[in-house]
Amino acid sequence: MKKRNRLKKNEDFQKVFKHGTSVANRQFVLYTLDQPENDELRVGLSVSKKIGNAVMRNRIKRLIRQAFLEERDRLKEKDYIIIARKPASQLTFEETKKSLQHLFRKASLYKKTSSKK
């Protein structure tokens, strides 16, 4: 992901936590916040030390980033924060992507597609 698509600053995280909405499943918690002044989506990741060592945490972050990359064109332009839960450490890439897609559908984050036949 490009730098402009990342949430890094604590104040950005706090703004999303305070004013955003959240949905969750067993593996992840997803916070979203509409940012009208931004024309691109931005993603912040949080993987706790409770989940595993640095290798495991970085692996989870790589899987989440890749899933976002593949879904980016279908998602609305918002700020997203993904918090990984303990079961996320056992997931393959396909399972991670499927779990995130479930959250995106649950939160109605996919853009409307105009399908004309």
Side-chain angles (χ1 to χ4, degrees), residues 80-96:
Y80 297 89
I81 294 179
I82 299 282
I83 300 173
R85 290 179 167 172
K86 187 82 170 156
S89 62
Q90 308 300 318
L91 300 179
T92 65
F93 172 68
E94 288 77 21
E95 293 167 334
T96 300

Side-chain angles (χ1 to χ4, degrees), residues 49 51-58:
K49 285 186 178 181
I51 290 179
N53 62 10
V55 174
M56 179 60 68
R57 294 193 309 270
N58 287 329

Side-chain angles (χ1 to χ4, degrees), residues 1 23-32 43-47 59-72 74-75 80-85 88 91-110:
M1 299 206 107
V23 291
N25 59 18
R26 293 198 63 218
Q27 296 84 16
F28 301 104
V29 180
L30 172 67
Y31 284 87
T32 60
V43 179
L45 302 175
S46 175
V47 184
R59 178 183 170 276
I60 293 167
K61 287 190 266 188
R62 279 196 313 273
L63 294 177
I64 295 170
R65 275 192 212 106
Q66 186 60 38
F68 253 98
L69 261 169
E70 293 183 10
E71 294 293 311
R72 182 178 55 197
R74 298 174 54 203
L75 292 170
Y80 297 89
I81 294 179
I82 299 282
I83 300 173
R85 290 179 167 172
L91 300 179
T92 65
F93 172 68
E94 288 77 21
E95 293 167 334
T96 300
K97 186 174 176 183
K98 202 176 238 185
S99 180
L100 289 172
Q101 286 172 335
H102 170 253
L103 286 178
F104 298 150
R105 280 192 306 276
K106 194 172 174 182
S108 305
L109 295 172
Y110 285 119

Side-chain angles (χ1 to χ4, degrees), residues 1 16-17 24 37 39 41 44 46 80 85 94 111 116:
M1 299 206 107
V16 175
F17 287 138
E37 69 274 2
D39 57 341
L41 62 82
S46 175
Y80 297 89
R85 290 179 167 172
E94 288 77 21
K111 294 176 184 172
K116 293 184 180 177

